[in-house]
Amino acid sequence: MKQPKLIRKYVNRRLYDTSQSRYVNLEDIRQLILAGTEIKVIEQVTGEEITTTVLLQIIEKTQRSDFRLLKPEFLSGLI
C-alpha cells in the first residue's frame, strides 16, 4: 500500500510538502486530492495529525466561492 504524502504545518501556519521540499497552500493540496493523492497533515510542533482539519478548511474555502460543494440539507444531516 502506498504511503500518503506527508504535509507538515508549521507554527507560522505554512504548509510544507516534505516529498517535494516546498511550501504549498490549500489550493495545492486540493489539486493533489483531485489527482487521487492521499495526504497526511501533521502539526510540526505537537506531532498531532490534523488532516481532517485541513480538509475541512479546503471545503470551507470552496463553499465561499461561486461553486457550492455541499448543499445546506447535507450539512444539516451531518450535524
Side-chain angles (χ1 to χ4, degrees), residues 52-67:
T52 301
T53 302
V54 171
L55 294 175
L56 286 170
Q57 288 175 343
I58 292 169
I59 290 170
E60 191 271 334
K61 182 180 174 190
T62 304
Q63 282 294 111
R64 284 191 276 148
S65 68
D66 291 336
F67 176 70

Side-chain angles (χ1 to χ4, degrees), residues 7-32:
I7 308 290
R8 294 198 181 277
K9 185 172 185 180
Y10 288 95
V11 178
N12 61 5
R13 298 185 300 178
R14 293 189 76 185
L15 299 161
Y16 188 78
D17 182 340
T18 60
S19 65
Q20 293 186 349
S21 300
R22 70 181 188 99
Y23 287 102
V24 294
N25 57 36
L26 292 178
E27 179 59 23
D28 295 327
I29 293 174
R30 187 177 84 83
Q31 291 301 321
L32 287 171

Side-chain angles (χ1 to χ4, degrees), residues 36-54:
T37 304
E38 240 184 277
I39 65 159
K40 182 176 183 179
V41 184
I42 301 293
E43 194 169 85
Q44 178 64 26
V45 174
T46 65
E48 178 184 359
E49 182 177 348
I50 57 168
T51 306
T52 301
T53 302
V54 171

